[in-house]
Every structure is written in C-alpha cells, then in structure tokens.
Amino acid sequence: MLPDFSIKAEPICHGCEWETPLGLFRLTNSMVIMFVVMIALIVPALLVRRNVGMVPGAAQNLMEFLLEAVEGLVGSALGRFSQQLYPLIASFFILILFSNWFSLLPLVGMVGYVEVHDGHEVVIPYLRPATADINLTLALAIGAFLVIHSTGIRSHGLIGHIKSVAQNSPLLFPIFLVIELFVIVSLSFRLFGNLFAGEVLLGLANWQGWIVGAIFLVLELLFGLIQAIVFTMLTVSFTSVSIGSEEHH
Amino acid sequence: MLTFCRYGDVKCFTFHDPRVWTLVRELVGPLRAAALALEFGFVVGSFITTGVLLGRYLDDQWGTMPWLFMVGVLLGLGLSFYVMVLIFRWQRE
C-alpha cells in the first residue's frame, strides 16, 4: 500500500480537531514531530546547562560543537548585532537541522492509519517531518523576515530603513517592497519544497528495494544539513544587507 | 603474503608490521561513531513508533484519542534517550 503524499499535513485521527477562539485547532502529524523535536532539543539543553564545566563532558562537547559551527557560519557578518542575533540564528539552524533529520528515522512516515482516497487505500502517517509542512516553514520565514527588517530599523531608523529598501527612489518603492515580501515566499518554499520532495523520493525509493532506499537516505542526510545551512545563511546575509546599508545614509 | 597499502604510501606493509594496527585503530574510531549514530536512529525511531502504536491502541480501547497517543510519543522519546545513554555508557566502559 502506497503512503499518502499529501501536500498538507493530515490530522492524526478523525476527531482530533477542536474549536478555539482563534479558529479550528487541528492536531496534525507534523505537529507531533515538531513537539518531539522541541522536547528532544530543550530537555537535553537544560540538563547540559545545569552541569556546564570547564572540562566538557560528551553532551556538553556535542552542544559546543553545534553552537561553534553556527558561530563559524554567522561570523562577523552581523556586525554589532551579532551577539544579540546569534541565539536566534543558532535556534533557526538547530531546529531546522533536527527537524530535517528526524524525518529520516526508521518508521517515521511509514506507520499510520488507512483511508480511502479516490477509490485507493492510502496510509496516512502518524508522524510526518515537521519541515515538510508549509505552515512551519512559513512561520520560520516570517520570523526571519521580522528579524531582517527589525534589525534594519534598529540600525538606521524607520525612515532610513524605508529609504534603504526603496534605494532612494520613491517611485520604485512598491516594487522593492514586493521584492522584500518575496523573501518570505522564497525562504519558506525552498525549505518546504526540498523536504517534501525528499519525503516523496524516500517513500518511492523504499519501494525499489533497501539498497536504493539507503542511497537516497544518505543523500537526504546531506540535503537536510544543506537546507539548514542555506536557510540560516540567507537570513544572515539578508540581515547583513539590511544593516550594511546604514553606512550610506 | 597478504599486504596492505594506503593511498600515497610507496611502501606496503604486512600483518607483522605494527603500523597495520595503527591503521586498523584509525579506521575503527569513525566506524564506531557511525555505528553509534545508526544505532541512535534505530533506537529513537523504533521506540517512538512503538509508543505511537501503543498509545493509539489504548486510545481506541478507551476512547481517549489523542491523549494516550501523545503520552506514547513522549514516553517513547524519553525511553529512547534513556536507552541511548545506557548504550553510550556501556560503550565507553
């Protein structure tokens, strides 16, 4: 039976939706994995923080390695804002990386309940990669967009930042505004597209035998890392552009 | 006699050469790390899935969907971490 390659995340059961003052809340399969990733990151981080020492243990070593890797990526690109933005950028990187890699765990995306779609029986998985859901990638991209422009505004004021976005040309401001808004689209759809395509590819490759599946699994491991780096680096470089233009005003 | 050659080495060496065992040790470290990573994947994946299935089964029995499902996910995650710490300690010893 083929897994269901649905673009939108599915609820984990038929009755798993509740009316809230903000609208319908639906507990979806990607949300479950998101909770798992959050807990898998937050709890060990809190445990390591309690036992931080000058001579690091294995867990502290791993955490320091991850954070130093992000520090290397961010570098001095963010100037005087690097200290303030580093925790946020590092959170983006680590969250996306682990969300991507959690999708590669055995049985994730394979175990689920059976439903009939268009006369065919399909498996609706209980667990779906969080980054293969457009809602998460869109939320991350909106977060990145707010970081980029709030840093720009803090750097050279609201008017200065608007001038910088418009490149001192009031007539072209609407066009530049649309270009800026497309950052959200490009960041979110790139991450979602890559991860969703990877999920479909893995689902199909597993049907061709375990050797083909294993090859694509290794590739997906690499793509997961690359996509996390790309999202982080683009956020850093857009923010850097947003800060850098203050020197011209 | 069986000989080993490393890429770029002019001279080959035999089993009696102590450098063979240095080479073996160099290879074992990364392989052990890869095995641990693979084991981590299997332990986390299988424990979480078991928790999911068990939680879903109990939810179906008692009509509590999705609460025991979520508890199953969390228990699976917690147990998988505990087992991984045990495996890691055992390997270090």
Side-chain angles (χ1 to χ4, degrees), chain B residues 9-87:
Chain B
D9 277 1
V10 178
K11 193 181 153 195
C12 296
F13 37 80
T14 66
F15 265 131
H16 304 293
D17 197 319
R19 285 179 300 170
V20 171
W21 303 111
T22 314
L23 175 63
V24 169
R25 272 197 294 275
E26 278 176 20
L27 285 172
V28 164
L31 281 178
R32 192 176 281 173
L36 192 67
L38 203 66
E39 208 164 5
F40 183 77
F42 273 104
V43 167
V44 175
S46 48
F47 270 74
I48 290 177
T49 314
T50 310
V52 161
L53 292 176
L54 197 67
R56 175 75 208 228
Y57 172 75
L58 293 176
D59 275 330
D60 282 345
Q61 295 293 308
W62 296 329
T64 48
M65 194 73 192
W67 305 113
L68 293 178
F69 176 94
M70 295 304 285
V71 170
V73 170
L74 295 181
L75 273 181
L77 184 70
L79 269 177
S80 64
F81 267 59
Y82 180 66
V83 170
M84 275 317 296
V85 169
L86 288 185
I87 291 173

Side-chain angles (χ1 to χ4, degrees), chain A residues 61-186:
Chain A
N61 239 332
L62 183 72
M63 295 276 178
E64 283 181 3
F65 169 75
L66 262 176
L67 292 173
E68 277 168 14
V70 185
E71 204 173 8
L73 285 176
V74 175
S76 56
L78 299 177
R80 66 188 168 100
F81 295 100
S82 61
Q83 283 291 317
Q84 291 169 21
L85 293 181
Y86 171 67
L88 190 75
I89 302 289
S91 303
F92 274 150
F93 177 74
I94 294 170
L95 181 76
I96 295 171
L97 182 69
F98 277 79
S99 301
N100 293 351
W101 280 356
F102 253 77
S103 65
L104 305 176
L105 290 177
L107 304 174
V108 169
M110 292 177 191
V111 177
Y113 59 97
V114 179
E115 263 196 357
V116 179
H117 282 186
D118 303 325
H120 299 284
E121 282 191 335
V122 289
V123 179
I124 309 290
Y126 290 133
L127 304 168
R128 174 194 169 113
T131 35
D133 180 359
I134 188 73
N135 294 301
L136 175 71
T137 59
L138 195 61
L140 287 172
I142 291 172
F145 179 82
L146 291 177
V147 168
I148 293 163
H149 289 283
S150 63
T151 314
I153 291 169
R154 275 165 57 205
S155 178
H156 37 82
L158 182 62
I159 304 296
H161 182 63
I162 290 173
K163 278 182 184 172
S164 134
V165 168
Q167 305 204 355
N168 288 327
S169 162
L171 279 177
L172 292 177
F173 177 69
I175 294 172
F176 283 116
L177 190 66
V178 172
I179 291 172
E180 288 297 322
L181 286 172
F182 259 83
V183 167
I184 299 176
V185 179
S186 94

